[in-house]
Amino acid sequence: DPAPPEIYTLPLPDALPISLDRLAGAGLIDDAAFARAWVDTRHRGRGLARRALSAELRQRGVDEGDVRAAVADLSPEQEVAAARRLVEAKLAATRGRPLATRVRRLTGLLARKGYPAGLAYRVIREALEQEGIDPAQAGLVEEGVLDADAATGEPDQDGELAADPGD
């Protein structure tokens, strides 16, 4: 179905919504499918957590409902497994460095990828224990540090337990 001739004489700001509506009507623009593909690709490829994925989709103008639906497909188990893979790789790359440096790099990595603090500390603690390192040396067993996600008891906008009441 060709475009109506009058669309070619409209100024671009007026023609653009008409063109986008026609493309969406033809099934060529689908934000929900885009969001699902983005979450799958960025989680598998970069190890991004729901929080980071949600932020990226919002920055790209994806509707909030589509964002929530796309990140809901990512299970907590998948998120933990991805965090473990990231920590395992970074731990191997930091062997021989001081423990405080390793922990700082690991927590920074997971924070940049959007992981909640409590999950990050738990995964790091487990990885250090597997290496035979006492997590207490790294300051990872202080009361409350590992339960940071449960501090508020309320889920944030992405359905995760907030690490900080101001989160």
Side-chain angles (χ1 to χ4, degrees), residues 10-159:
L10 291 174
L12 185 58
D14 296 334
L16 194 56
I18 295 169
S19 297
L20 289 174
D21 287 343
R22 290 175 51 83
L23 290 170
L28 298 174
I29 297 177
D30 185 347
D31 281 352
F34 167 77
R36 286 189 307 274
W38 185 269
V39 166
D40 181 54
T41 302
R42 301 285 283 176
H43 177 71
R44 272 191 296 108
R46 306 241 0 233
L48 297 181
R50 285 180 283 206
R51 182 175 294 149
L53 293 164
S54 296
E56 286 186 347
L57 289 169
R58 286 184 195 105
Q59 287 173 345
R60 282 156 182 77
V62 176
D63 178 72
E64 188 63 31
D66 291 334
V67 169
R68 287 180 184 270
V71 297
D73 290 341
L74 186 61
S75 75
E77 293 81 18
Q78 289 174 296
E79 202 167 48
V80 169
R84 285 186 176 129
R85 284 191 301 273
L86 290 166
V87 166
E88 185 178 302
K90 191 65 156 180
L91 265 179
T94 60
R95 283 201 178 90
R97 299 211 183 257
L99 183 56
T101 300
R102 295 176 83 191
V103 170
R104 186 182 70 246
R105 289 184 180 182
L106 291 167
T107 54
L109 168 72
L110 294 177
R112 287 188 303 278
K113 302 272 185 186
Y115 289 92
L119 171 63
Y121 287 121
R122 186 176 74 239
V123 170
I124 293 167
R125 185 194 71 221
E126 291 168 0
L128 291 174
E129 287 173 345
Q130 288 178 354
E131 280 197 354
I133 298 170
D134 180 10
Q137 288 180 291
L140 293 174
V141 293
E142 296 174 22
E143 187 174 320
V145 170
L146 297 177
D147 296 325
D149 286 337
T152 64
E154 295 293 321
D156 65 10
Q157 63 186 6
D158 300 323

